[in-house]
Structures are given as structure tokens and as C-alpha cells.
Amino acid sequence: MTSSQHDTKTIGKAPALFGWHIIFATVVAATFGPATLVNVTFSLFLPALQHEFGWTRSEISLSLTIFIMVLVAMLPVMGRIIDAVGGRRSALVSIPAYAIALMGLSFLDGSLFTLYVLFGLIAALSVGAQSLTLIKILSHWFDRRRGLAIGLCMAGNGLGYMLTPIFARVMIDGLGWRWAYVGLGCLALFITFPVIYFLVRDTPQECGQTVDGCPADPRQPIQATAGLSLAQAARTRSFWLLAITFVLCSFALNGLQSQIVPLLLDRGLSSDMATLILVAVGMGSFPGRVIAGYLMDRFFAPYVVSGFYALSVVGILTLANSSAMAPLFLSAIVLGLSLGAENDALGYMTGRYFGLRKFGQIYSICLCFYLIGAATGPYFMALSFDHTGSYRTGMLLGAVLVGVSSLLALLLPSYKDITGRASAQS
């Protein structure tokens, strides 16, 4: 038993609000992070770019694919860096760099090449501010309530789903899409950066504490973090089941999310109503992530994930077959709930299955699979529209893929600790 696992009753009482500053900071970082500032607002800018430059939806959507594929290329490198130097330093370099690059989109001149280069640059510079960094930090601070801590952090994504589309819509309508990109960059630069700088430390030991807030036991020396290497993890069935489960679901859910505004505009909804539906995704995602995290601390996480994904199949089919406001709004909330059990659940299960010793490296590769789905899904969805004049085919395929993901999650084995014994949580 390590010092982080001692019962607080035997060695002292843990602080009631242990780690609150870490959770608060990571919530802010997730709310105004690359995933929300770039991915979530993407569909709001799509009609404006299409109108100004005459590009097709698939041509514009390819920029999001490039953004995510650059992340896929950079994440394994960043995983090693974070394991070596910590998440805080990585974030403090990444945040101002990608914020300035995001502002650079305001200078687009009608060249698709420039659009693609800028999205690729934003991706490369933002890699240190992604969920990899936040979940790595939280996993060092929390063990017994790790699922809830990660869920609260990633609820920031849900909060960002609600806030950033409204912010971007107000900026686009009031000042134009160019100033909207400047405004989004300012959110990262003047909100996220100072919060990370002043509140975040990589480990509780830097603050004189231990995991979960347990006072250190002087009789127990601090042991090195345990876990598998990347090579060892890649030889397990759990690793590949996680990879396939999340790439399929990501393909479907992120593909649909990226096109939801133009999809609704095509059905005759106003831009305000379409934005409201997009915000509804955040309204579902915000509590969904907290609920998923809470449940993963109490039940076997793959069962939780499977249930959420099965629910999203209903949401996709409703969205594909209805034009009425109430069903559309409810289906968006359901999709948001399912998005609450995606890469944060992946990060949670990565730590449980493979430990924290090489967490950055292992999770970065798992996240790459998730991002491959997120990169190809939007382009496929837009391409299906360009070829058929409708998103229906892409949405039906998405429902099938999410259903398969739900079934694959049920095949994941029990957690095992580093000695190979079945975990009590499974």
C-alpha cells in the first residue's frame, strides 16, 4: 500500500475541499480550451466562410480534419513531454501560442491553403492545452474520486458548449466573423492562461500533500508511480478495445456535431434557433460528464459508457427523422449526455487499466484513435451532403457505429492493478 492509499482515519483527516483549486482551474481550461474554441464553434463559422469565399462545405470542413490530424501526429510527442516535464509547463507554453494563431484566422484572404495551414498551426500549438494535460494532472491529485474529478473538469467542455457558441454568435452578428476569431483567442489568452499559472501544480506533493488529500505517513516512503509502459499496454486486449470503441463513436458524434448548424438551417430553422440547438448539446454534456464521472467511481466504467452510447443512438435517429423544435432540442441534449462519456471516460479508463507511470504516452495514443474519428467524421458528414444533398445517410451510418461502440464497451475486461489482480472496482 502506498502513502496515497492510507485510510485518512488512521493518519489524519483529509481537507474537506481538497484539490478545489485544481478542479476549478481545469474546469476553466476545459471551458475555454481548444476543443470548445475551435471544434464547437466551427459550424457557426461555416456558413459565413461559405458565403464570403464561395467554398463548399466539404472544403471548409477539411480544415477541421487537418486540425485534428495534426493533433494526432503531435499528441504522442506531447505525451512524452508531459511525462517528463509535467502538464503545467506544457499548458503555459501552449495556451498563448495557440491563442495568437487562432486570432490569425481573422486575416483569411480567400485562400484555402491559408485556411488549412492556419488550422494545422493552431492544432500543433494547442496540443499542450488539450485534455491529455488536464487529465494527467487530475490523475495525480485524485484516486478514490478520480472519475468525479475528471467529470467535473470535462464538464467545463459542456459549459463551453453552452457559452462559446453564444459568444461567437454575438461576435459574428455584431462585429463579423473576423473579430469573432479574435475574441475567441482572447478568451484563452486572458482567462485560461492566468488561471493555470496561479492555481495549478502538477502533483499534490508540490503543495505538501498526497493523493486524495491524505496527510503523508512518515513511516511510508513515497513510491514511484506504478503502471505499464506503452509497449506493455499495446499488447493488451483492453488497449485495442478502447481504441476501436472510441474511434467509432467519435467518428459519428463529432461528425454530426460539426454540421449541426448548417443541417438545421437547411431544414428552415433560423440561425438563432440552430445556435440554440447547438447550445442544447452543451446543456446535455455539462451534467452528462459529471454524472458519468460520478457513476464511474461507483460502477464498472465500461458499463457506464455503453449505456450512454446506447442512449445516443436514440438521439441521432431522432435528429435524422424530425424537424420539430421540441424533438430536436431533446435529441441534442441526449447527444450532449453521450458526449459526456467520451474522451474523459477514455482518460479515466486509461489510468485504471494501465496506471500512471507512462500515462501521458499511453493516453496520448488512445486519444489519437479518438481524434482520428473526430477528424474524419466531420469531413465524411459534409461530403455525404455535397454528394447527396442531405445528411441523412451519414447520420444513419453514425447511429450504427455508435451502436457498435456500445456493444464493444461491454467486452472490456476487469481492471487489474500492477500485480495483475482483479480490481475491486470492477
Side-chain angles (χ1 to χ4, degrees):
M1 178 182 291
T2 66
S3 59
S4 67
Q5 295 171 315
H6 278 283
D7 188 343
T8 58
K9 292 181 180 179
T10 64
I11 59 174
K13 186 177 181 180
L17 297 177
F18 172 76
W20 69 265
H21 56 298
I22 299 296
I23 293 179
F24 174 78
T26 56
V27 168
V28 172
T31 301
F32 302 113
T36 56
L37 299 181
V38 180
N39 297 47
V40 174
T41 63
F42 181 83
S43 64
L44 292 170
F45 288 92
L46 198 156
L49 296 176
Q50 188 178 16
H51 177 266
E52 178 149 345
F53 300 120
W55 299 328
T56 67
R57 293 182 185 179
S58 58
E59 287 174 334
I60 299 170
S61 297
L62 184 58
S63 64
L64 188 58
T65 299
I66 291 170
F67 172 85
I68 298 173
M69 292 308 294
V70 171
L71 283 181
V72 170
M74 294 296 297
L75 275 170
V77 178
M78 183 52 62
R80 291 181 177 274
I81 292 173
I82 289 175
D83 282 339
V85 306
R88 180 176 181 270
R89 291 180 183 177
S90 303
L92 291 178
V93 172
S94 180
I95 292 168
Y98 93 79
I100 293 170
L102 183 58
M103 295 180 193
L105 287 170
S106 64
F107 295 102
L108 283 173
D109 58 1
S111 166
L112 274 171
F113 178 75
T114 303
L115 176 71
Y116 297 155
V117 168
L118 283 172
F119 265 82
L121 181 63
I122 294 166
L125 296 175
S126 72
V127 69
Q130 299 285 345
S131 61
L132 166 65
T133 302
L134 305 181
I135 294 177
K136 166 77 171 178
I137 293 170
L138 287 168
S139 295
H140 278 290
W141 277 80
F142 298 92
D143 180 36
R144 289 192 298 269
R145 297 183 178 178
R146 185 183 300 170
L148 181 59
I150 293 175
L152 288 169
C153 165
M154 292 294 101
N157 279 136
L159 192 59
Y161 272 88
M162 292 185 280
L163 297 180
T164 56
I166 295 173
F167 176 84
R169 172 54 63 194
V170 170
M171 290 287 291
I172 292 170
D173 290 345
L175 299 173
W177 64 267
R178 295 181 187 274
W179 280 107
Y181 273 128
V182 174
L184 291 174
C186 287
L187 292 178
L189 195 59
F190 297 113
I191 296 179
T192 308
F193 180 83
V195 167
I196 294 294
Y197 180 84
F198 288 110
L199 295 182
V200 169
R201 296 297 180 267
D202 284 303
T203 67
Q205 285 77 22
E206 294 178 38
C207 302
Q209 298 175 312
T210 59
V211 179
D212 291 325
C214 302
D217 184 352
R219 299 168 298 176
Q220 283 281 3
I222 296 175
Q223 299 181 12
T225 301
L228 304 182
S229 68
L230 175 59
Q232 290 171 325
R235 290 195 292 268
T236 66
R237 179 165 65 100
S238 302
F239 180 89
W240 293 105
L241 278 173
L242 284 173
I244 296 170
T245 297
F246 282 89
V247 72
L248 294 180
C249 195
S250 175
F251 177 94
L253 295 182
N254 286 285
L256 179 56
Q257 173 195 291
S258 73
Q259 306 296 313
I260 196 167
V261 170
L263 181 155
L264 296 172
L265 292 176
D266 291 342
R267 295 188 185 180
L269 272 70
S270 67
S271 60
D272 289 340
M273 289 297 100
T275 302
L276 180 61
I277 298 298
L278 181 60
V279 170
V281 177
M283 292 174 65
S285 179
F286 181 75
R289 294 177 188 275
V290 178
I291 293 169
Y294 177 85
L295 292 175
M296 286 190 295
D297 281 335
R298 285 154 179 78
F299 304 100
F300 189 40
Y303 293 166
V304 177
V305 169
S306 178
F308 273 79
Y309 285 174
L311 188 63
S312 70
V313 174
V314 178
I316 295 173
L317 293 177
T318 301
L319 196 61
N321 292 286
S322 178
S323 296
M325 190 64 184
L328 290 174
F329 190 83
L330 290 175
S331 66
I333 291 179
V334 168
L335 289 176
L337 287 170
S338 301
L339 286 168
E342 26 116 77
N343 70 348
D344 41 343
L346 178 58
Y348 176 87
M349 288 191 283
T350 298
R352 291 303 183 200
Y353 279 115
F354 312 119
L356 300 181
R357 183 168 66 93
K358 297 296 181 182
F359 177 90
Q361 295 178 38
I362 299 171
Y363 179 53
S364 68
I365 299 299
C366 291
L367 191 56
C368 282
F369 283 97
Y370 172 84
L371 290 173
I372 287 172
T376 53
Y379 183 69
F380 172 83
M381 194 69 71
L383 200 61
S384 71
F385 174 86
D386 287 344
H387 282 277
T388 67
S390 169
Y391 289 107
R392 183 175 176 80
T393 300
M395 295 173 73
L396 293 178
L397 175 62
V400 171
L401 294 180
V402 175
V404 172
S405 295
S406 178
L407 295 176
L408 287 176
L410 298 177
L411 300 179
L412 282 160
S414 300
Y415 310 140
K416 293 184 182 296
D417 64 22
I418 58 170
T419 66
R421 295 172 297 172
S423 167
Q425 246 188 314
S426 62

